[in-house]
Amino acid sequence: MKRDKFYVTTPIYYVNDRPHIGHAYTTVLADVLARYHRLRGIPTFFLTGTDEHGQKVQQAAEKIGLTPQQHADATVVSYRELWQKLAITHDDFIRTTETRHTVVVQKILQSLYDRGDIYRAEYDGFYCLPCERFFMERDLVEGICPECKRPVERIRETNYFFRMGNYQDWLIRYIQEHPGFIQPDYRCNETLGFLRKKLNDLCISRPKTRLRWGIELPFDRDYVTYVWFDALVNYISAIGYCADDARFRKWWPASYHLIGKDILTTHTVYWPIMLQASGVPLPEAIFAHGWWLVGDAKMSKSADNVVNPMEFSDRYGVDAFRYFLMAEMVLGQDASFTEEAFVRRYNTDLANDLGNLLSRTMKMLGDSFDGVIPHPGLAVAEEEQLRSAVLKAACTMEESVDNMRIDLGIGAVSGAIREANRYLEKRQPWTLAKQTDKTPLGTVLYYAAETLRIVSGLLYPVMPAKMRALRCALGLSDDDPSLEDLKRWSTVMIGKKISTMQYLFPRIDVRSIKKETPSVTPAAATTAPDGVVWVDRADFQKVQLCTARVQTAEKVVGADKLLRLEIEMGGESRQIVAGIAQYYQPAEVVGKLIVVVANMKPTRIRGIESRGMLLAASGGGQLRLVTVDGEVPTGSSVQ
Ligand code: MSP
């Protein structure tokens, strides 16, 4: 979909606590979307910020003896630092305590009050502090909050109300007539389900006797504004509503408000009605994503399982963290975060698949062409297959961004990377390198390099620093790529001089995983039967099993059981000595895709160094090598 501008927002985050993975997720998602739109040349505005008023912030501040403003000033720093760390490219960061915001909230309140859309009345009902929301008795579920399922308190006081109920029929019609306004569609159904019950008017004030920390009502100084009424306005106050008309018209309506599923009602019911009552057009779309669970448990302080994005990216790298967040969560649904899942995906997609393609291509270009990408010779079916897989991935990525399925787009790009590794396996450039005519080798390496140009560009919005480094090593310019150039197979790589680079994504040793995650705690009975020594998952994962291709094999002189093999594993050559000579002739094993223990401590057997151990099945007087059922690149992990 070609847009003329793209305006994306994240929720503004409460400053009562430090940022966690949930906050990081929405913000990285917004960043990735913003970066893709910029690559398409679409003017883009990306807004994030902090929600600084309300009872939660006041209470958190009181607890540590600070004023709410001091507390907000201190906590906002951790958000700003995290966004800098995570390479977030927001265009603005709004704080709801800034004057540019508070004046707009007051203007909107005053005009709704003047029009009679806000009225004063006695309130007798229930209040949920964590949600900062009022409920009628009929809304409660077995006496507790229908949203967060926590206890509510009874409250009787005079307050100001927004005539939200008057807009119920209009909103239902609007949602029905605008498919795509609430996404994914099951969240749209959820909102329509909520609107089947009579919509109460919204209490938009809090008496100062109970809460002082908020924006004062312009028509009654004894009250402050309900925090949600205040917070939602950030999406328009930041872009100049009531202050800079041209700027406001340039960006509004928002293309996407990205939110978590728990704040659906405030965004799909309160906010559209507030806008409609104020005569402002509605945003184009509100997209609610799912939650990150830790293992299969809800993340919470009390369960001590809160994932700290800062710590995690320090440990494993910012780009790998961004990649995992985007690739692992099916947009809209809940996803499970565990360190094991992270390491598995990292090792498979980045260290093995992308890492192998890169290191093989660079090594062979260096060895045979002095690092200069050659002209390709004639392309045959294999080249055509690779080209079409890579270009298809580029189209899928573009569609996935439009359809809010970044996870699918990333999946398509990883598929193209695997296809390129398969292509190298088929074309065997290491064998072509031995020929005097270097044209076939040049063709293969040009195709691999062009694939790297395109996939690095497609992944650039997800992993900006690593992909920029990769593109510079490929001899491409430091500038952002353009999406149009990534959708075309080109000749730009010909003649480029590549520079060597360190491993882009060094393999993570699974032993470095600090804690066991909740999903892998042992089940009931834990005693092994006699004669059985149980290993747990962590023990097993210490062993790195990888696929490797046998390049050469020969008998070890003076040892009738041993063969000396040279194997190729993800671009790396190794020598191993294996006790298989009584079962295999050297020629029989050459070309086989075998499984080896890659992190076996190097040893010397009959004076020959052996780095790795191959797997074989023995029984019935026979010994057969363990091989893989189908084609996967060498260096793939076996789990
Ligand atoms: N201040 C309000 C939003 C106002 S927007 C006008 C708020 N703030 S919050 O800090 O509590 O939450 C911000 C976002 O974090 C919400 O979208 C929420 O869904 C998201 N997440 C909180 N925990 C989460 C996970 N475990 N996983 C994913 N996102 C989750 O609500």
Side-chain angles (χ1 to χ4, degrees):
M1 188 203 322
K2 186 77 184 166
R3 302 170 177 272
D4 52 4
K5 57 105 182 136
F6 185 69
Y7 172 31
V8 63
T9 67
T10 71
I12 48 172
Y13 304 110
Y14 283 130
V15 285
N16 55 337
D17 214 347
R18 300 176 76 77
H20 58 58
I21 186 180
H23 306 128
Y25 176 72
T26 326
T27 314
V28 170
L29 174 62
D31 187 63
V32 169
L33 289 173
R35 284 174 181 267
Y36 271 114
H37 284 85
R38 291 188 198 115
L39 295 195
R40 281 172 169 178
I42 297 173
T44 294
F45 193 82
F46 165 16
L47 175 70
T48 188
T50 41
D51 191 354
E52 306 196 346
H53 291 123
Q55 200 150 343
K56 276 195 254 189
V57 177
Q58 181 173 299
Q59 283 185 343
E62 275 163 6
K63 243 193 203 162
I64 50 173
L66 293 178
T67 64
Q69 187 66 63
Q70 285 169 331
H71 183 48
D73 291 347
T75 315
V76 77
V77 176
S78 43
Y79 281 96
R80 287 194 193 277
E81 282 175 355
L82 180 62
W83 301 155
Q84 193 175 6
K85 169 94 184 178
L86 294 183
I88 302 299
T89 54
H90 48 286
D91 297 288
D92 198 355
F93 185 107
I94 187 156
R95 301 180 58 183
T96 53
T97 46
E98 290 173 82
T99 316
R100 62 167 171 155
H101 173 74
T102 56
V103 295
V104 177
V105 173
Q106 289 183 324
K107 277 191 185 162
I108 292 177
L109 286 166
Q110 188 67 54
S111 96
L112 292 177
Y113 183 70
D114 293 345
R115 294 180 31 171
D117 257 335
I118 288 177
Y119 63 95
R120 185 183 159 102
E122 179 76 23
Y123 178 77
D124 182 0
F126 296 87
Y127 189 65
C128 172
L129 177 62
C131 298
E132 302 214 22
R133 282 178 61 187
F134 286 101
F135 293 101
M136 306 300 284
E137 191 155 14
R138 63 166 189 266
D139 300 326
L140 304 180
V141 179
E142 292 169 9
I144 58 171
C145 170
E147 294 285 325
C148 71
K149 320 276 184 271
R150 280 180 273 207
V152 288
E153 43 173 317
R154 176 111 197 210
I155 280 189
R156 196 171 290 137
E157 64 192 19
T158 302
N159 262 313
Y160 287 87
F161 293 84
F162 172 43
R163 292 191 198 281
M164 212 162 63
N166 283 359
Y167 293 85
Q168 179 162 12
D169 294 340
W170 162 81
L171 182 59
I172 294 173
R173 248 194 340 275
Y174 186 91
I175 295 174
Q176 286 167 341
E177 286 167 7
H178 294 81
F181 174 56
I182 304 173
Q183 299 177 25
D185 44 15
Y186 43 89
R187 298 285 173 218
C188 178
N189 294 338
E190 208 175 304
T191 301
L192 287 171
F194 174 84
L195 288 169
R196 257 184 241 124
K197 278 190 295 182
K198 183 181 152 16
L199 189 59
N200 301 325
D201 287 348
L202 179 68
C203 176
I204 52 96
S205 65
R206 301 292 181 265
K208 282 192 185 165
T209 46
R210 188 153 66 80
L211 174 71
R212 298 201 64 78
W213 186 233
I215 301 176
E216 198 170 80
L217 292 189
F219 41 83
D220 191 337
R221 305 193 57 186
D222 292 335
Y223 289 84
V224 293
T225 312
Y226 168 45
V227 66
W228 269 104
F229 195 98
D230 155 1
L232 288 159
V233 170
N234 90 88
Y235 300 134
I236 55 176
S237 63
I239 51 164
Y241 180 65
C242 288
D244 179 346
D245 216 33
R247 190 157 169 260
F248 180 66
R249 270 189 280 115
K250 173 166 183 198
W251 296 115
W252 192 258
S255 315
Y256 275 109
H257 288 321
L258 303 178
I259 58 167
K261 63 180 184 180
D262 55 317
I263 53 175
L264 186 71
T265 314
T266 47
H267 280 81
T268 59
V269 178
Y270 298 6
W271 182 226
I273 294 180
M274 284 166 65
L275 289 168
Q276 173 72 3
S278 308
V280 179
L282 268 47
E284 283 166 24
I286 298 159
F287 188 98
H289 63 71
W291 269 39
W292 282 98
L293 305 174
V294 178
D296 35 28
K298 200 169 162 189
M299 193 169 67
S300 72
K301 267 201 209 160
S302 52
D304 190 24
N305 63 356
V306 176
V307 181
N308 179 335
M310 197 63 143
E311 255 176 47
F312 212 84
S313 4
D314 274 338
R315 192 149 8 122
Y316 293 119
V318 167
D319 281 4
F321 180 59
R322 288 172 59 112
Y323 179 84
F324 178 78
L325 292 182
M326 293 301 103
E328 191 77 5
M329 182 176 262
V330 174
L331 248 171
Q333 296 171 20
D334 288 349
S336 162
F337 189 95
T338 65
E339 202 158 348
E340 287 171 322
F342 173 86
V343 171
R344 201 179 314 123
R345 188 177 271 281
Y346 173 101
N347 279 343
T348 309
D349 291 9
L350 302 179
N352 281 351
D353 293 347
L354 182 55
N356 281 351
L357 176 61
L358 179 65
S359 59
R360 286 161 153 183
T361 309
M362 291 211 157
K363 181 164 186 323
M364 286 182 289
L365 277 169
D367 289 351
S368 302
F369 294 95
D370 242 357
V372 178
I373 298 168
H375 271 275
L378 225 52
V380 291
E382 279 86 3
E383 279 76 35
E384 197 36 57
Q385 193 178 331
L386 175 62
R387 194 176 84 102
S388 86
V390 173
L391 294 181
K392 188 151 176 274
C395 288
T396 309
M397 181 53 109
E398 191 174 31
E399 279 163 24
S400 308
V401 170
D402 283 339
N403 301 334
M404 288 297 272
R405 284 300 306 271
I406 302 270
D407 53 303
L408 277 185
I410 293 177
V413 178
S414 333
I417 293 170
R418 280 193 296 276
E419 184 65 40
N421 279 316
R422 271 195 293 275
Y423 166 74
L424 293 185
E425 295 287 326
K426 271 192 231 150
R427 301 287 270 129
Q428 298 271 311
W430 33 90
T431 311
L432 298 178
K434 292 176 192 149
Q435 287 176 200
T436 33
D437 177 9
K438 291 282 182 275
T439 316
L441 176 64
T443 307
V444 174
L445 295 183
Y446 156 80
Y447 270 79
E450 178 65 358
T451 300
L452 281 167
R453 175 186 76 83
I454 294 178
V455 298
S456 63
L458 294 174
L459 292 177
Y460 175 75
V462 182
M463 299 188 284
K466 292 284 186 181
M467 292 304 105
R468 170 163 286 154
L470 167 52
R471 294 174 68 78
C472 287
L474 288 172
L476 290 162
S477 92
D478 197 24
D479 300 338
D480 292 356
S482 105
L483 201 65
E484 278 313 301
D485 289 345
L486 302 174
K487 287 175 9 194
R488 271 196 300 263
W489 196 263
S490 75
T491 50
V492 291
M493 296 306 286
I494 299 170
K496 293 234 181 286
K497 170 100 180 146
I498 54 137
S499 29
T500 48
M501 70 186 307
Q502 284 299 319
Y503 279 120
L504 200 56
F505 297 103
R507 232 188 126 73
I508 300 174
D509 183 344
V510 282
R511 280 170 298 188
S512 66
I513 298 182
K514 271 204 201 146
K515 349 179 223 186
E516 273 301 322
T517 43
S519 56
V520 292
T521 40
T526 49
T527 339
D530 277 353
V532 175
V533 179
W534 272 353
V535 290
D536 58 30
R537 216 180 157 87
D539 286 332
F540 176 70
Q541 283 181 332
K542 285 180 193 159
V543 182
Q544 285 180 14
L545 297 174
C546 284
T547 55
R549 176 91 54 196
V550 181
Q551 305 286 358
T552 63
E554 63 180 23
K555 290 205 158 133
V556 174
V557 184
D560 32 322
K561 290 188 181 155
L562 300 178
L563 289 187
R564 187 186 74 81
L565 310 180
E566 265 176 37
I567 58 168
E568 187 271 332
M569 194 173 64
E572 185 196 344
S573 294
R574 286 196 186 190
Q575 167 176 284
I576 62 174
V577 178
I580 57 172
Q582 288 173 318
Y583 305 94
Y584 285 95
Q585 289 303 316
E588 283 178 274
V589 291
V590 173
K592 278 198 189 300
L593 187 62
I594 58 170
V595 176
V596 295
V597 178
N599 59 343
M600 194 80 194
K601 198 169 167 186
T603 50
R604 294 190 86 79
I605 303 175
R606 297 282 176 118
I608 306 170
E609 187 184 51
S610 180
R611 292 179 55 230
M613 185 178 91
L614 55 70
L615 298 192
S618 70
Q622 273 305 315
L623 181 140
R624 302 316 296 164
L625 290 175
V626 171
T627 56
V628 178
D629 175 26
E631 269 305 309
V632 290
T634 65
S636 298
S637 66
V638 178
Q639 288 160 344

